[in-house]
Amino acid sequence: MTVVQYERRGAVAVVTMNRPEYRNAQNSAMTYALDAAFTRAVDDDEVSVVVLAGAGEHFSAGHDIGSPGRDVDTSFERKSVLWWDHVGKRGGDLRYAREMEVYLGMCRRWREIPKPTIAMVQGACVAGGLMLAWVCDLVVASEDAFFADPVVRMGIPGVEYFAHPWVLGPRAAKEVLFTGDRFDAHRAREWGMVSRVVPRADLEAETHRLAERIATMPRFGLALAKRAVNQSEDLMGMRAGMDSVFGLHHFAHAHNAEVGADSLAGMDARAMKRAGS
């Protein structure tokens, strides 16, 4: 079974994360399969809009920190940054190289896809799952969707793609980070993170209706409009802010490893789930 599925529906490409048994936890194999699918959609002149979906009950539970498919020691062809392979390295050298490529770098690469992207979110969208939704231009969520960035429980100041102040606003970002609590789709829409909230039964149809509406617009005009908004965000400090916080993120990993059992402060997937329940 492929970890990412690709389907063309007219002018819309649907890219589906396909690890439902692990709530679509993101390992490296999924990361590079997503990149291949997005590249395929960009290269296809018949595709105008890309929809990112998650198979099963949940969009994504975040980074894979505990499934049998966890592949942190596997080499892949690097795509997002020009840096050496993390495999065979130790300590901060290993973690910094991998996370700069697989998480921060890939998310930045996907944010720059020249075609409009829509995240279709149901169920859990947690930690690294937020990053996957945030790189998309629009987010359509079902009423049962919930969101959280609980990694401060690890002593780490948020996920690697630190878009919180821009997609949530500073005060909402602080509340989300300080508490680690879940927030629902309606709260996410109040904060401006989610574009539309629809009943679960209507999620797919409503998302595709929006995608098809966007697909009627001139493709080059859409690409320029997207680039204009992204550049404006970067002028407001988004890219520089992410660089700064990425350093704090890795300082936290190093602190955890120095004073405790490991770089995640002893928190595995089960411990994180218990803490958030």
Side-chain angles (χ1 to χ4, degrees):
M1 181 183 297
T2 178
V3 294
V4 170
Q5 295 178 333
Y6 184 94
E7 179 186 1
R8 263 276 309 278
R9 299 184 189 177
V12 179
V14 183
V15 176
T16 304
M17 297 177 284
N18 191 36
R19 300 185 76 208
E21 67 276 27
Y22 303 115
R23 302 199 301 172
N24 295 316
Q26 179 192 1
N27 59 5
S28 293
M30 176 182 282
T31 298
Y32 289 96
L34 282 171
D35 190 70
F38 290 143
T39 300
R40 179 177 175 183
V42 169
D43 288 343
D44 188 341
D45 285 341
E46 300 302 314
V47 169
S48 297
V49 180
V50 182
V51 171
L52 176 62
E57 292 299 307
H58 301 284
F59 178 75
S60 176
H63 299 334
D64 187 344
I65 60 173
S67 90
R70 191 172 187 230
D71 51 10
V72 293
D73 296 322
T74 303
S75 292
F76 290 84
E77 182 183 359
R78 295 177 300 287
K79 297 283 189 178
S80 65
V81 296
L82 188 59
W83 202 266
W84 49 72
D85 191 2
H86 70 283
V87 174
K89 309 303 186 295
R90 299 178 61 195
D93 189 359
L94 182 158
R95 184 173 293 277
Y96 188 82
R98 180 173 186 268
E99 293 190 356
M100 182 169 50
E101 161 72 14
V102 174
Y103 298 145
L104 178 61
M106 278 295 190
C107 282
R108 283 177 162 173
R109 174 176 163 87
W110 299 336
R111 175 177 176 256
E112 299 302 322
I113 291 170
K115 299 178 180 182
T117 55
I118 305 173
M120 184 170 69
V121 178
Q122 82 285 1
C125 181
V126 175
L130 290 174
M131 295 166 50
L132 296 170
W134 286 349
V135 299
C136 294
D137 302 303
L138 303 174
V139 179
V140 180
S142 63
E143 291 176 331
D144 68 341
F146 62 90
F147 308 87
D149 185 356
V151 301
V152 174
R153 296 192 182 110
M154 296 175 173
I156 297 169
V159 291
E160 294 86 352
Y161 182 81
F162 193 82
H164 307 61
W166 291 272
V167 299
L168 293 168
R171 297 205 185 281
K174 289 176 181 177
E175 180 177 336
V176 167
L177 291 166
F178 291 175
T179 66
D181 290 344
R182 295 178 178 182
F183 55 101
D184 64 20
H186 293 288
R187 177 58 62 87
R189 189 162 188 253
E190 288 174 9
W191 285 336
M193 191 192 101
V194 162
S195 314
R196 301 184 182 188
V197 180
V198 300
R200 176 68 171 265
D202 300 334
L203 178 62
E204 185 171 354
E206 288 295 327
T207 302
H208 284 279
R209 189 172 294 116
L210 177 60
E212 289 163 2
R213 171 70 185 88
I214 294 170
T216 65
M217 300 291 279
R219 187 178 66 176
F220 190 51
L222 287 170
L224 293 179
K226 175 171 181 170
R227 195 162 185 82
V229 175
N230 284 1
Q231 287 178 344
S232 297
E233 283 185 315
D234 289 340
L235 287 169
M236 291 187 282
M238 184 171 175
R239 187 175 184 90
M242 281 189 182
D243 285 337
S244 176
V245 177
F246 192 64
L248 296 176
H249 182 99
H250 282 273
F251 176 66
H253 277 310
H255 174 76
N256 286 342
E258 188 166 340
V259 303
D262 57 42
S263 62
L264 300 181
M267 298 289 282
D268 59 13
R270 289 182 179 179
M272 290 293 284
K273 186 175 181 180
R274 284 196 304 269
S277 60

